[in-house]
Amino acid sequence: METRVHKVRSDVRRHRVTINDVARELGMTKSTVSRALNGYPDISESTQLRVREAAQSLGYRPLANAQAIRTGRLRAIGLVLQLNEHDRHRPFLADFLAGISEAASAADWTITVATATSDEDTLRLLCKLADEHKADGFIVPRTLWDDRRVTFLREAHVPFVLYGRTGNSDGCAWFDIASETATQNAVELLHDLGHRRIGFIPGGRQYTYSRLRLEGYKAGLKRVGIPFDPDMVSRSALNPDEGGEAVVQLLSLKQPPTAIVSSIDRAALGAYAAARKCGLQIGSDISLISYDGIEEGELMTPALTTFSADVHLAGVRLTELLIKRINGVPPEALRELRPATFVARQSHGPMTRTPEEIAAIVSRAKNKVEEKQ
Amino acid sequence: METRVHKVRSDVRRHRVTINDVARELGMTKSTVSRALNGYPDISESTQLRVREAAQSLGYRPLANAQAIRTGRLRAIGLVLQLNEHDRHRPFLADFLAGISEAASAADWTITVATATSDEDTLRLLCKLADEHKADGFIVPRTLWDDRRVTFLREAHVPFVLYGRTGNSDGCAWFDIASETATQNAVELLHDLGHRRIGFIPGGRQYTYSRLRLEGYKAGLKRVGIPFDPDMVSRSALNPDEGGEAVVQLLSLKQPPTAIVSSIDRAALGAYAAARKCGLQIGSDISLISYDGIEEGELMTPALTTFSADVHLAGVRLTELLIKRINGVPPEALRELRPATFVARQSHGPMTRTPEEIAAIVSRAKNKVEEKQ
DNA sequence: CCACTTGCCGAAACCGGTTTCGGAACCTTG
DNA sequence: CAAGGTTCCGAAACCGGTTTCGGCAAGTGG
């Protein structure tokens, strides 16, 4: 046995064990071997057993590519990642990939990935991978509200599953984390701590999550009886710099917020320096609650309170859903919403200053800066 | 469910243009079409042209899996990533993948990835992907000095290319960035700035780079005429916490360093807080030069001086080398070493304090901490 | 004018599998 | 014991390509 395995290994290139080898060894035809290994009912139990044992001991592994040309099933899931200059820094990529790979391996599937640099590029690669049948179906990450990938895959009748929701979800299977609920909870929590002016920093406009989190913010306000004020919503922010600008925008209002809810952690990271520049300290002077759960949040002072999304789990579930979808389960039966996890750290707390006090501090800080110049 | 599967399948089949469709359209046999498209010399120029045009206009795309069962070539490169709990936080994964994907796409190849959680898992997946021929060759990232992946791939006669060097490089193609030279340069630079006691924080022991950087450190010392002192080499550090501990270890010496060279940025990030705890400020009281070029380094105060490795380029070159290797180029001709880029920021500077002064400050800071307790 | 290349393409085998079809052996049943 | 039904497997077609082989027609040399 030991030597046999070793032999197989060193012979990978020269000659692998084929179904014909197994058939010859057993004195059967390859059709019988094939049906036995695939559990067809017209092969007797005893024969199936014999074939399985022989295949095992010979180290036979069917070639997925060869199977695919007849069955049309490669047992590969496709993934096209868009890594813009913009969000090249994807904190969750490793976790996400690990989740997908874990679930795929468990089902004996593999992953085909490609990376793209723009929307067009993404669509082109998706189209190419589908055309050349490099994958049986696709995981579509970071859904947009109006997503051309979805349109394409739907029309091409290629199975897919979305990470996130989208505008028209006809025929879509999806997995998502209820960030709108998290955002709503953040507002309610801040209200319970005495805050009445609560600002909001949206994420990238085109993404579905951005829409949902804004809705969650509004739902939270409604729930606690605070009227919605458009001024309390800043420009959208996708990185620390933009996050900082958003915070400055909110704090420069005549009636600035005493607490801020940020759509994404990356933007919230920029809030610290921006607030400091305005003479305020996150956590003590002004509260901040964000969403995502990136590692860096924990290293900030004070550490960032956030709602954490389990991206590893997302990868696992998306893969399981996609495999089911490829096996013919209707998309309507493959939709899953999970809650985010609240990670209470030190960037939020009871209201300590009124909007008026904050406005005064900010104005004083601004004058100081101007004096220096 | 059964009917649905059949429907999908027939749908896919309906869409796909096969080589037979092209042949029928042209009134030729598929063998002629195949040879024409593959540029065989026994097909006339004019026929080749006609076939190419017809294939183009019909939208024919050969199925890589179908080609592979005869040619044995899938045009897919394999990548098994080990994402330990430990270094799940891989800052370069996105860049690395993007580089690989870019080069693979350009050559019309695809990528098959899998992630593993341990050395054994990595080896198992590598073996499985090779056995089932899911890829024509592999990129092996993060080489160890004694690397079982290399042993396996070599014995199995599977083409591969290493990202990094290894103990026994017989039959190995590789790409690497000369971090040993960078480390040496760091030492020389610090010497030029007046530093004479220069500490070193090694990375993960089993990795080849760790060995090389230590050698670079020693080479730098030798070059400038400083005798090597084993005490100047701390325990190895792979993350901010361990980096902090390493710094404390060095600063607690009777003759502490006035400058520190760190093997990896992640460890250097922890140096800031650790130095502060010892009463010292990075950049002004003590110099720090690191290696990697991660984004976070720029956000530190003062920003981290480091040698940056172009991981995107690494992905591109590794892919190009691997494809050549698979095409039969001997591994000895596929070895490439590139320099790292020096990124001068604010964490290093002229020597401002002697080792004795530093020792005094550290000892005072320690007493203070003890008093508080 | 005939033998001999040479250029070019069709026919068929092949790759490693899956799937359809048909028939032999066995079992039931009347 | 004949008729009919089951069980189980072999033969052959098939999937979408590649590659080998051979032959026809045109060109070339003697």
Side-chain angles (χ1 to χ4, degrees):
Chain A
M1 189 67 178
E2 195 56 33
T3 53
R4 193 180 288 274
V5 169
H6 190 75
K7 187 150 183 255
V8 169
R9 274 186 192 169
S10 61
D11 279 3
V12 162
R13 191 184 53 96
R14 207 176 57 193
H15 200 62
R16 51 183 11 271
V17 180
T18 73
I19 195 170
N20 282 311
D21 298 328
V22 179
R24 197 178 316 117
E25 179 78 16
L26 288 165
M28 308 197 261
T29 62
K30 63 176 182 174
S31 63
T32 306
V33 174
S34 172
R35 278 172 296 166
L37 290 177
N38 291 321
Y40 275 57
D42 66 342
I43 302 294
S44 70
E45 289 284 337
S46 60
T47 303
Q48 293 208 9
L49 201 67
R50 276 211 309 151
V51 171
R52 290 225 165 77
E53 278 171 0
Q56 173 86 23
S57 78
L58 289 176
Y60 169 66
R61 288 258 182 88
L63 222 50
N65 330 320
Q67 297 179 304
I69 83 174
R70 183 71 219 251
T71 62
R73 292 268 297 280
L74 204 50
R75 287 195 323 202
I77 77 175
L79 180 63
V80 178
L81 296 166
Q82 189 166 333
L83 304 172
N84 299 333
E85 199 59 46
H86 196 58
D87 67 346
R88 170 146 271 170
H89 180 104
R90 280 182 71 117
F92 297 125
L93 185 52
D95 270 343
F96 189 50
L97 265 183
I100 296 175
S101 178
E102 197 179 297
S105 276
D108 203 24
W109 283 52
T110 54
I111 310 170
T112 298
V113 302
T115 68
T117 52
S118 67
D119 288 2
E120 285 68 33
D121 204 24
T122 302
L123 211 58
R124 187 182 61 79
L125 281 170
L126 207 54
C127 183
K128 196 176 140 192
L129 290 180
D131 255 25
E132 302 182 357
H133 199 95
K134 296 283 191 172
D136 299 316
F138 291 86
I139 291 177
V140 179
R142 292 213 173 189
T143 48
L144 311 182
W145 181 251
D146 178 20
D147 204 312
R148 289 157 67 197
R149 296 171 297 179
V150 175
T151 315
F152 165 70
L153 290 169
R154 187 158 39 199
E155 284 182 0
H157 294 99
V158 175
F160 63 95
V161 52
L162 309 179
Y163 182 20
R165 283 155 281 176
T166 189
N168 173 6
S169 60
D170 290 353
C172 294
W174 52 259
F175 173 95
D176 203 2
I177 292 171
S179 57
E180 68 275 26
T181 307
T183 312
Q184 179 179 338
N185 290 346
V187 172
E188 292 173 16
L189 179 69
L190 290 167
H191 176 266
D192 289 350
L193 288 167
H195 297 275
R196 291 299 178 268
R197 291 287 282 173
I198 302 174
F200 180 69
I201 305 176
R205 290 224 171 279
Q206 72 274 39
Y207 296 112
T208 303
Y209 76 76
S210 187
R211 223 171 248 258
L212 291 172
R213 289 174 206 178
L214 181 57
E215 280 172 18
Y217 166 71
K218 289 180 181 172
L221 291 181
K222 194 166 183 183
R223 184 83 173 270
V224 299
I226 302 177
F228 173 68
D229 176 355
D231 282 346
M232 283 287 96
V233 177
S234 74
R235 73 186 66 176
S236 65
L238 285 165
N239 55 43
D241 283 348
E242 293 175 0
E245 290 168 17
V247 166
V248 171
Q249 179 188 344
L250 291 173
L251 292 180
S252 302
L253 292 171
K254 279 174 197 152
Q255 282 273 317
T258 65
I260 295 178
V261 174
S262 168
S263 286
I264 61 177
D265 280 357
R266 288 257 300 156
L269 294 183
Y272 287 77
R276 214 175 298 128
K277 210 172 61 183
C278 293
L280 295 164
Q281 171 81 16
I282 295 283
S284 45
D285 299 320
I286 180 170
S287 281
L288 176 62
I289 299 185
S290 185
Y291 181 92
D292 269 344
I294 66 176
E295 202 185 51
E296 290 95 320
E298 199 168 357
L299 301 172
M300 303 301 286
T301 325
L304 180 63
T305 294
T306 192
F307 284 83
S308 168
D310 189 339
V311 180
H312 183 272
L313 174 71
V316 170
R317 294 301 301 149
L318 283 164
T319 304
E320 292 170 352
L321 291 174
L322 179 56
I323 291 177
K324 283 186 187 168
R325 179 73 197 96
I326 292 170
N327 284 335
V329 177
E332 293 75 18
L334 300 170
R335 292 172 179 172
E336 197 171 314
L337 195 60
R338 296 271 183 122
T341 306
F342 183 56
V343 182
R345 291 198 284 237
Q346 286 83 47
S347 68
H348 75 294
M351 189 182 79
T352 53
R353 303 189 184 278
T354 65
E356 291 73 23
E357 288 169 358
I358 287 181
I361 295 173
V362 171
S363 134
R364 224 177 303 145
K366 280 197 174 172
N367 289 338
K368 235 182 220 167
V369 170
E370 278 168 17
E371 274 171 27
K372 272 187 186 170
Q373 292 171 344
Chain B
M1 188 145 117
E2 194 58 27
T3 53
R4 189 173 286 274
V5 168
H6 280 290
K7 186 149 182 259
V8 168
R9 200 181 290 164
S10 66
D11 231 347
V12 167
R13 193 178 299 173
R14 193 188 55 189
H15 272 305
R16 165 148 289 111
V17 180
T18 72
I19 195 170
N20 283 311
D21 298 328
V22 180
R24 199 178 313 116
E25 179 77 16
L26 288 165
M28 308 196 266
T29 61
K30 63 176 182 174
S31 63
T32 307
V33 174
S34 171
R35 277 172 298 167
L37 290 176
N38 291 322
Y40 274 57
D42 65 344
I43 303 293
S44 71
E45 289 283 337
S46 61
T47 303
Q48 293 207 10
L49 201 66
R50 278 208 310 149
V51 171
R52 289 225 166 76
E53 278 172 0
Q56 174 85 26
S57 77
L58 288 176
Y60 168 67
R61 289 256 184 86
L63 221 51
N65 355 337
Q67 296 180 304
I69 82 173
R70 184 70 220 249
T71 63
R73 292 271 228 73
L74 249 184
R75 289 195 323 198
I77 76 175
L79 180 63
V80 178
L81 297 165
Q82 190 165 334
L83 304 172
N84 299 333
E85 198 59 46
H86 196 56
D87 67 345
R88 168 148 273 173
H89 180 103
R90 279 182 74 120
F92 298 125
L93 186 52
D95 270 345
F96 189 51
L97 265 184
I100 296 174
S101 178
E102 198 179 295
S105 277
D108 203 25
W109 283 52
T110 54
I111 311 169
T112 298
V113 302
T115 66
T117 52
S118 67
D119 287 3
E120 283 69 32
D121 204 23
T122 301
L123 212 59
R124 187 182 60 79
L125 281 170
L126 207 55
C127 182
K128 195 176 140 192
L129 290 180
D131 256 22
E132 301 182 357
H133 199 96
K134 298 281 191 172
D136 299 316
F138 292 85
I139 291 176
V140 179
R142 293 214 171 185
T143 47
L144 311 182
W145 182 252
D146 179 19
D147 204 312
R148 287 158 66 198
R149 297 171 297 178
V150 174
T151 315
F152 164 69
L153 291 169
R154 188 158 39 201
E155 284 184 0
H157 294 99
V158 175
F160 64 95
V161 52
L162 309 179
Y163 182 19
R165 283 154 281 174
T166 188
N168 173 6
S169 60
D170 290 352
C172 294
W174 52 259
F175 173 95
D176 203 1
I177 292 172
S179 58
E180 69 274 28
T181 308
T183 311
Q184 178 179 338
N185 290 346
V187 172
E188 292 172 17
L189 179 69
L190 290 167
H191 175 266
D192 289 351
L193 288 167
H195 296 276
R196 292 298 176 270
R197 290 286 283 174
I198 303 174
F200 180 68
I201 305 176
R205 290 223 172 280
Q206 73 274 38
Y207 297 113
T208 303
Y209 76 76
S210 187
R211 222 173 251 256
L212 291 172
R213 290 175 204 176
L214 181 57
E215 280 173 19
Y217 166 72
K218 289 181 182 172
L221 291 182
K222 195 166 183 182
R223 186 86 171 270
V224 299
I226 302 178
F228 172 69
D229 176 357
D231 282 346
M232 284 286 96
V233 177
S234 76
R235 73 185 67 174
S236 65
L238 286 166
N239 55 41
D241 283 348
E242 292 174 0
E245 290 169 16
V247 167
V248 171
Q249 179 189 347
L250 292 173
L251 292 179
S252 303
L253 293 170
K254 279 174 196 152
Q255 282 273 315
T258 64
I260 295 178
V261 174
S262 168
S263 286
I264 62 175
D265 280 359
R266 288 257 300 156
L269 294 183
Y272 287 77
R276 214 175 299 129
K277 210 173 61 184
C278 293
L280 295 162
Q281 171 81 16
I282 295 283
S284 46
D285 299 320
I286 180 170
S287 281
L288 176 63
I289 298 184
S290 184
Y291 182 92
D292 268 344
I294 66 176
E295 203 185 49
E296 288 95 321
E298 199 167 358
L299 301 173
M300 302 302 285
T301 323
L304 179 65
T305 294
T306 192
F307 285 83
S308 168
D310 190 339
V311 180
H312 182 271
L313 174 71
V316 170
R317 294 302 300 148
L318 283 164
T319 305
E320 291 170 353
L321 291 174
L322 178 56
I323 291 178
K324 282 186 187 169
R325 179 75 196 94
I326 292 169
N327 285 335
V329 177
E332 292 75 16
L334 300 171
R335 292 171 179 175
E336 197 172 314
L337 195 61
R338 295 272 184 119
T341 306
F342 183 55
V343 181
R345 290 198 285 238
Q346 287 81 48
S347 68
H348 76 295
M351 190 183 80
T352 53
R353 303 188 184 277
T354 64
E356 291 73 23
E357 287 169 358
I358 288 181
I361 295 173
V362 172
S363 135
R364 226 177 304 143
K366 281 199 172 170
N367 289 338
K368 234 183 221 170
V369 169
E370 276 169 18
E371 274 171 25
K372 273 188 185 172
Q373 291 171 345

